[in-house]
Amino acid sequence: MRDSKAIAALHALPTAGLLTDPTPVEELTGLRAALGGGPRLLVKRDDAIPFAFGGNKVRKLDVVAAQAYDEGADTLLTVGGVQSNHARATAAAAARLGLRCVLVLSGSPPERPRGNAFLDTLLGAEIAYVSSREERAPAMRAAADRLRAEGRRPFEIPLGASTPLGAMAYARAVAELDPSNAPDAIVHSTSSGGTQSGLIAGCALLGLSTRVVGISADDPAARLKPVIADLLSGIDATLGSGGRVAAAARDAEVDDSFVGEGYGIPSPASREALEVAARCDALFLDPTYTAKAMAGLIAYVRAGRFRADQTVLFWHTGGQVALFV
Ligand SMILES: Cc1ncc(COP(=O)(O)O)c(C=O)c1O
């Protein structure tokens, strides 16, 4: 059953206006034919969000940056890798809102910035480099302390904007689907857990029995599932949904068998997925996240894990800027 009160609360969340229209849903007819049939395949085009090259981070930042702005912040800070989509989207949100942006990125300063690194500089972000992932959060905290001491008002955004608020943007996104024709399964890339928690929460609140299958780009399922459960509890507490969203954690499906040799390292299956999606449906994936998720979807279809009378929706989370690195 639909939780109308919680859905209304989601729709009432203040936004920064980064996202104006629902993203399109399209048929993947070419891919389906190439796979020799199987379930109906759809794609939700969050890669086609017009703001700043789009992607899932724009949805999350739409609500998180709005909160920062409403609290009177003058600087957004966040963390990521040198080619982080989230860092680029944060820098873009800051530019749109007239705020400053500090990015703490793990890796070496590129000699000639390309892809997201280039866009970060174009957007005017101040960039600090650290040598490891572990150093990022403490370095962001230290930078925020320094700004506060200078009389500025910093707002720290954790990795991937995967807070209960950021995840709620994805709960709201589920309402963009036609409820009378909801997919049997959503397959998408998962990494910091925010997108997946939001999708699970949205399905629970709308009373949909849609499975949400997150294909990990990075962490083992055993590490990611508790993160998702925590985010779902946070969403539940914020929306006052009486345990319904928190309880949905038991259905969270995380598949870590498509990571291959590691985060950002293409695998034979992800290379195939990248090519097949482009050649069959002119759909561009990215090597780090969505190609691995599509590799998962293709493998599931080939293994007959969906019935021919089912509908599977691939939720494209963006990242295509990485094709130009
Ligand atoms: C293109 C893309 N897809 C998927 C993800 C994973 O989303 P989440 O961090 O919400 O799990 C990311 C995260 O960086 C991303 O950039």
Side-chain angles (χ1 to χ4, degrees):
M1 224 186 51
R2 187 185 155 95
D3 181 339
S4 300
K5 213 171 120 215
I7 300 288
L10 284 174
H11 285 292
L13 287 174
T15 67
L18 308 182
L19 201 104
T20 43
D21 293 309
T23 54
V25 174
E26 296 169 353
E27 297 268 352
L28 290 173
T29 43
L31 177 61
R32 183 166 186 268
L35 293 173
R40 181 182 181 207
L41 297 178
L42 302 175
V43 58
K44 175 79 169 152
R45 299 288 311 271
D46 278 10
D47 59 314
I49 291 173
F51 180 76
F53 290 111
N56 59 344
K57 302 306 188 257
V58 174
R59 277 197 195 272
K60 297 184 194 178
L61 285 160
D62 201 22
V63 291
V64 172
Q67 185 193 24
Y69 191 81
D70 290 347
E71 288 180 7
D74 62 13
T75 308
L76 301 183
L77 293 92
T78 200
V79 295
V82 171
Q83 283 300 334
S84 165
N85 296 307
H86 165 66
R88 175 249 308 161
T90 303
R96 169 65 72 85
L97 295 172
L99 308 177
R100 288 169 69 175
C101 180
V102 174
L103 302 174
V104 178
L105 306 180
S106 50
S108 322
E111 258 173 50
R112 276 190 58 219
R114 304 173 80 93
N116 284 314
F118 173 67
L119 297 175
D120 295 342
T121 56
L122 207 57
L123 290 159
E126 299 158 45
I127 305 173
Y129 294 94
V130 292
S131 47
S132 68
R133 286 179 170 202
E134 293 67 37
E135 290 167 72
R136 293 187 303 211
M140 174 166 73
R141 221 166 299 129
D145 288 342
R146 273 197 304 276
L147 292 174
R148 246 176 249 112
E150 290 167 15
R152 300 226 326 246
R153 293 186 301 279
F155 186 96
E156 293 174 64
I157 303 174
L159 182 70
S162 284
T163 58
L165 178 63
M168 281 194 277
Y170 264 90
R172 188 166 58 180
V174 178
E176 291 179 15
L177 303 178
D178 175 1
S180 61
N181 215 353
D184 297 285
I186 293 171
V187 177
H188 71 100
S189 170
T190 189
S191 177
S192 63
T195 304
Q196 185 159 13
S197 316
L199 292 172
I200 293 171
C203 290
L205 293 171
L206 286 159
L208 305 180
S209 54
T210 303
R211 281 170 61 192
V212 179
V213 183
I215 308 288
S216 177
D218 195 355
D219 279 337
R223 195 175 308 158
L224 203 43
K225 280 186 174 189
V227 173
I228 292 169
D230 276 354
L231 285 166
L232 287 168
S233 297
I235 296 172
D236 202 295
T238 311
L239 292 176
S241 47
R244 179 174 176 171
V245 168
R250 64 170 174 253
D251 303 323
E253 291 184 57
V254 178
D255 188 335
D256 57 12
S257 60
F258 295 90
V259 178
E261 284 179 32
Y263 174 77
I265 305 172
S267 63
S270 74
R271 277 198 200 92
E272 185 209 8
L274 197 79
E275 280 187 13
V276 167
R279 290 174 193 187
C280 295
D281 286 298
L283 186 74
F284 296 120
L285 305 174
D286 81 292
T288 304
Y289 298 98
T290 52
K292 287 187 176 171
M294 182 60 90
L297 171 59
I298 290 173
Y300 279 34
V301 172
R302 283 183 177 144
R305 291 178 66 173
F306 299 115
R307 293 193 316 271
D309 63 351
Q310 289 187 311
T311 298
V312 180
L313 181 135
F314 180 76
W315 202 302
H316 195 324
T317 46
Q320 62 277 24
V321 168
L323 290 171
F324 304 100
V325 171

